[in-house]
Amino acid sequence: MLDVSLNDGYLPKEMYIFLGAVIGAVAAYITTKITVRNQVRIAEINAHKDVVLQSDRLLHERVRAEVALERGELRKMHVILSKVSLETSLTMSYIQSDNNMGLHEFRERYMKTCYRLHEAKAISDIYYPEMSGSVYKVYGQANVFWGHQESVLRTDIKDNRDVWEASLSKVIQTGNEISSYSYALQEKISTRGKELKNALGERFD
C-alpha cells in the first residue's frame, strides 16, 4: 500500500501526523522563545524604570534635605542679625542707661552677642563666603559699639557730660552702621531664600 500511496502523490497518514507534530512543536518552540524574549525585555524595561524612579526619588529627597538645611541656616543667620541690631541700637542703649545696668550684666550681654556673631561667621564662611565680609564688619563694629556703650554706662552725665555725650554719639554712629550692614545682609539672605524656593519648584514641578 505504501508504494501505491507514493505513486499516487500522497504520503502515508502516519507521515502527515508526524510532520504535523514536528511543525506544531517547532511553532510552539518559536512562540515560546518569542514570548520568553518579550517577557525578559519587558522585565528589563520595568526594572530600568524602577531604578530610574528610585534614583529620582532619592535625588528628590536629598535635594529637599539640602535645601531645608540651607534654609535653616539662612533663618538662623537672619535671626542673629536681628538680635545683634537690637542689642546695638540706640533704643537698647537708652534702656540700659535708664535702668542703670551694672557692668557685670552688661558684659554678659556683650559675650552673648559675640557668641551669636561667631555662629553667624561660621554660617557665612561655610555656606555664603560672599557674605562673610559684611558679617565680619558687623562683628567689628559691634565690638566698637560695646566699648562706647560701656563708656556711657560708666560715665556720670552730671560729672562729665562732655565725655558722656561723645560716647553716646559714637554709640549712635556705630549702631547705625551695624544696622545698615545687617539690613543689607538680610536682604541677601531673603534673596537667597527665594532662589532656593524657586529652584526647588522648577526642579520638581
Side-chain angles (χ1 to χ4, degrees):
M1 289 183 65
L2 180 62
D3 291 340
V4 173
S5 298
L6 288 174
N7 291 334
D8 293 341
Y10 295 102
L11 291 175
K13 180 179 179 182
E14 292 79 4
M15 186 62 68
Y16 282 113
I17 294 172
F18 174 75
L19 291 175
V22 170
I23 293 172
V26 171
Y29 171 77
I30 294 173
T31 301
T32 301
K33 189 172 183 179
I34 293 174
T35 301
V36 170
R37 185 172 60 188
N38 288 340
Q39 288 175 341
V40 170
R41 180 57 181 163
I42 292 170
E44 289 175 346
I45 292 172
N46 289 336
H48 178 70
K49 287 180 179 178
D50 289 341
V51 170
V52 171
L53 288 174
Q54 181 71 0
S55 297
D56 287 346
R57 184 181 66 80
L58 292 175
L59 177 61
H60 185 282
E61 291 177 355
R62 190 188 73 184
V63 170
R64 282 193 176 278
E66 290 175 353
V67 169
L69 175 63
E70 187 175 344
R71 292 179 73 175
E73 296 301 307
L74 284 171
R75 180 186 179 281
K76 191 181 298 180
M77 191 156 70
H78 196 288
V79 171
I80 289 172
L81 290 168
S82 294
K83 289 181 177 179
V84 171
S85 293
L86 177 60
E87 285 291 330
T88 56
S89 67
L90 181 59
T91 299
M92 188 59 67
S93 174
Y94 281 138
I95 291 173
Q96 292 172 356
S97 299
D98 191 56
N99 291 341
N100 294 317
M101 179 180 287
L103 291 179
H104 178 72
E105 181 183 353
F106 172 78
R107 288 168 181 169
E108 283 187 341
R109 293 176 73 100
Y110 162 71
M111 292 306 299
K112 286 181 181 178
T113 298
C114 286
Y115 295 148
R116 291 186 183 114
L117 285 171
H118 290 163
E119 187 171 12
K121 285 161 64 177
I123 293 172
S124 64
D125 285 346
I126 294 171
Y127 293 98
Y128 315 103
E130 70 278 7
M131 299 185 192
S132 290
S134 295
V135 174
Y136 277 75
K137 287 178 181 178
V138 170
Y139 181 75
Q141 289 303 101
N143 280 287
V144 173
F145 174 92
W146 287 95
H148 293 308
Q149 178 63 10
E150 180 168 329
S151 178
V152 169
L153 294 176
R154 292 168 65 98
T155 303
D156 189 333
I157 189 173
K158 296 177 182 178
D159 296 334
N160 204 334
R161 188 178 186 86
D162 290 341
V163 172
W164 187 89
E165 288 181 347
S167 298
L168 182 62
S169 176
K170 293 294 184 181
V171 162
I172 295 171
Q173 179 183 339
T174 52
N176 287 339
E177 290 176 1
I178 292 168
S179 178
S180 178
Y181 287 135
S182 296
Y183 179 78
L185 278 168
Q186 287 174 326
E187 284 287 298
K188 292 180 181 179
I189 290 171
S190 177
T191 298
R192 179 56 183 164
K194 292 175 182 176
E195 289 174 352
L196 288 173
K197 182 179 180 181
N198 292 337
L200 193 62
E202 291 173 0
R203 190 181 187 96
F204 298 113
D205 278 347

